[in-house]
Amino acid sequence: MATATPCNLAATFERQSRQVMKAYFIGGGIGSLAGAAFLVRDAQLPGHDIVIYEAQPLIGGSLDGAQLANGAYSLRGGRMLTTDHYECTWDLLSSIPSLEHPGLSVRDETIAFNVENPAHSRARLVDRNRFKIDVSHMGFSARDRLELLRLTEASEEVLGNSRITDWLSPGFFESNFWYMWQTTFAFQPWHSAVELKRYLHRFMSEFPRIETLAGVKRTVYNQYDAIVRPLADWLKRQGVQFVSGTRVTDMGFEAEGARVRVRQLTLDRDSRTANVRLEDDDIVFFQNGSMTDASSLGTMTEPPPHLTKKDSQGWALWETIAQGRPEFGNPSVFNSSIPESYWLSFTVTCRDPRFFDRMEAFSGNRAGTGGLVTFKDSNWLMSVVLYHQPHFAGQPNNVQVFWGYALHPDRVGNFVAKPMSECGGAEILKELCGHLNFDASVLEDAICIPCRMPYITSMFMPRNLADRPLPVPKNSVNLAFVSQFVEIPDDVVFTVEYSVRAAQMAVYQLMKVDRPVPPVTRHDKSLSVIFATLEKAFA
């Protein structure tokens, strides 16, 4: 990996006059990695002319996964995939070689893994008595069906910045469907009605099988090991330069009539400032905003610190360049209400198989085939998922890892008399065992690492159309946005696909690539999908 040290910082960032194009990526998440790959693969830009700046020591952004100093594993979350959607993601991964299976692409490897480990949940919702709820029916009333239809058919102009609760009555939020849909995709009742509508259309093919999660596909390992590592390895072999520990703090713009061009990047590394001057052909890709900004980890005895954007500065650059430039979006819509956008996850490392054995027997699912188990009556609205093992590359054979999260961490628990946000890992495990009616001894050797994410669902916040910039704003000459906070018609945020699609659109537009971006598959226009959805809605 190419890095810069304080002593040679100026030499690294100050360039001599030259004729070749340079591409700069601000942020090392999946949007930037995908964009760099599309530049190399489809725009034939040499890798050594691409630079990726990342403030953190590791790349990958929200697709993380790591082993901590105490031997426990931690990951903030994992995005689900489907082979019926994610058109741009599969297009990308079909070109990236597997690290473990010579001759196979990451796409081939992932599909083969899911053929061997098909998803079919048998314990999607569990009630306060540890009964597995019959979720073959959605639990809709006639009013629920009419209101849901009204929402799905309303135009985005009509929906505007309204909330889900503006369109659906209280009874809807007690239906089996809502508990399953909400926890699968991490919606809250106060989130954007537009985003819920988009999900209902984009994933209409998943509606008839939402209780089994049969359409869900998982990667072989966590998504850092399964996607980020092979993608980064391929980019490095193409000569792409990764500059970690470096924050871009400002951009200098130059007006060209009604349009603007980025002429300078200001960088900070170890409190040392340097400027990068951009030539006429240079281009910039910016990962604006971050759903995992200001994340923090706790321990078995201590809750995660309550950080905000002031602690991380992850939103600062977007806020800076958007001032006076409405085409660059409105970050305050997304980052101004932590109580509406945060939740907690937790990663559990087990060195005793008893919990996995008990959980597999209770759920009826072998680890890696069941998906989320949601405790419907949990005050925290807690869910857990047992991954296929190993979930980390190099994970010892005697270690098992599972993950969970809660959508209401500000509420007092059912078995622990405090909010989850004030709990260490041991208290979270106590709450989990209470819902399962398991003796605590099944997790006595486990290490639970809680993680607080104040902006994890910030992209779902109610917003107007102009609050998110286009991947390439109309007034931009050489700046593109590649993140969960851009505007892409018909697609849905909080997915790997959204970042990859934004990157592909941005690269193709700026580089004038003569290749179509894979279109969003309109399953909501398929008669068979529509009929299956109606049948399930009336079950």
Side-chain angles (χ1 to χ4, degrees), residues 176-202:
N176 286 343
F177 168 79
W178 174 249
Y179 279 110
M180 290 187 288
W181 195 268
Q182 173 187 28
T183 52
T184 299
F185 300 115
F187 274 106
Q188 300 280 23
W190 52 81
H191 282 155
S192 167
V194 168
E195 297 304 334
L196 178 59
K197 175 197 169 168
R198 287 194 179 191
Y199 264 79
L200 290 168
H201 280 271
R202 183 74 154 111

Side-chain angles (χ1 to χ4, degrees), residues 38 63 78-94 107 111 184-185 199 202-203 205-206 215-217 219 223 227 484 491-501 504 518-521 523:
F38 291 130
L63 300 186
R79 310 286 83 75
M80 294 179 294
L81 308 175
T82 84
T83 46
D84 294 326
H85 311 86
Y86 293 68
E87 301 82 3
C88 298
T89 302
W90 296 123
D91 179 39
L92 169 67
L93 297 182
S94 65
R107 179 184 186 275
I111 290 176
T184 299
F185 300 115
Y199 264 79
R202 183 74 154 111
F203 291 116
S205 56
E206 303 307 318
V216 169
K217 300 297 185 290
T219 49
Q223 288 170 351
I227 295 178
Q484 298 291 302
D491 213 345
V492 292
V493 292
F494 212 178
T495 60
V496 173
E497 174 69 7
Y498 205 81
S499 295
V500 175
R501 181 175 292 276
Q504 194 166 17
V520 170
T521 305
H523 294 286

Side-chain angles (χ1 to χ4, degrees), residues 483-524:
S483 75
Q484 298 291 302
F485 300 91
V486 301
E487 183 55 42
I488 302 175
D490 300 323
D491 213 345
V492 292
V493 292
F494 212 178
T495 60
V496 173
E497 174 69 7
Y498 205 81
S499 295
V500 175
R501 181 175 292 276
Q504 194 166 17
M505 292 172 66
V507 167
Y508 284 18
Q509 183 172 342
L510 286 182
M511 298 295 291
K512 297 179 173 58
V513 174
D514 186 19
R515 181 180 187 266
V517 175
V520 170
T521 305
R522 296 306 300 264
H523 294 286
D524 57 335

Side-chain angles (χ1 to χ4, degrees), residues 179-375:
Y179 279 110
M180 290 187 288
W181 195 268
Q182 173 187 28
T183 52
T184 299
F185 300 115
F187 274 106
Q188 300 280 23
W190 52 81
H191 282 155
S192 167
V194 168
E195 297 304 334
L196 178 59
K197 175 197 169 168
R198 287 194 179 191
Y199 264 79
L200 290 168
H201 280 271
R202 183 74 154 111
F203 291 116
M204 188 174 288
S205 56
E206 303 307 318
F207 186 103
R209 54 190 181 186
I210 188 65
E211 76 275 18
T212 66
L213 298 174
V216 169
K217 300 297 185 290
R218 300 280 185 183
T219 49
V220 177
Y221 299 119
N222 66 84
Q223 288 170 351
Y224 178 80
D225 284 327
I227 295 178
V228 173
R229 283 182 55 237
L231 179 52
D233 177 77
W234 184 84
L235 290 172
K236 290 172 189 174
R237 287 190 281 108
Q238 311 309 310
V240 173
Q241 303 171 63
F242 292 83
V243 184
S244 61
T246 302
R247 185 184 304 279
V248 179
T249 59
D250 202 358
M251 299 185 199
F253 290 92
E254 178 180 276
E256 295 188 3
R259 306 181 74 197
V260 294
R261 176 191 294 274
V262 181
R263 274 299 185 191
Q264 180 173 285
L265 301 178
T266 301
L267 301 99
D268 178 272
R269 181 184 175 91
D270 298 329
S271 299
R272 294 170 59 90
T273 300
N275 295 320
V276 176
R277 176 71 180 175
L278 275 65
E279 304 296 335
D280 286 350
D281 291 334
D282 292 348
I283 52 179
V284 178
F285 299 86
F286 174 35
Q287 289 195 288
N288 56 307
S290 170
M291 62 185 182
T292 50
D293 182 58
S295 298
S296 58
L297 300 181
T299 67
M300 280 292 282
T301 57
E302 297 294 330
H306 289 201
L307 305 182
T308 72
K309 62 180 182 177
K310 292 181 181 179
D311 300 294
S312 65
Q313 298 300 307
W315 296 84
L317 181 58
W318 188 16
E319 291 174 331
T320 296
I321 69 170
Q323 291 182 21
R325 300 185 182 96
E327 296 88 352
F328 289 1
N330 183 9
S332 65
V333 168
F334 306 101
N335 65 19
S336 298
S337 183
I338 288 176
E340 294 182 290
S341 66
Y342 96 107
W343 40 257
L344 268 72
S345 68
F346 55 95
T347 310
V348 183
T349 304
C350 303
R351 291 181 171 81
D352 186 312
R354 284 181 293 170
F355 180 82
F356 266 65
D357 291 345
R358 290 284 303 274
M359 196 66 188
E360 288 181 334
F362 166 67
S363 67
N365 282 110
R366 174 173 51 87
T369 66
L372 286 171
V373 176
T374 293
F375 303 103

Side-chain angles (χ1 to χ4, degrees), residues 16-35:
Q16 299 295 321
S17 166
R18 40 71 183 153
Q19 300 300 315
V20 297
M21 170 186 289
K22 291 283 187 179
Y24 298 93
F25 287 86
I26 302 172
I30 185 61
S32 289
L33 301 180

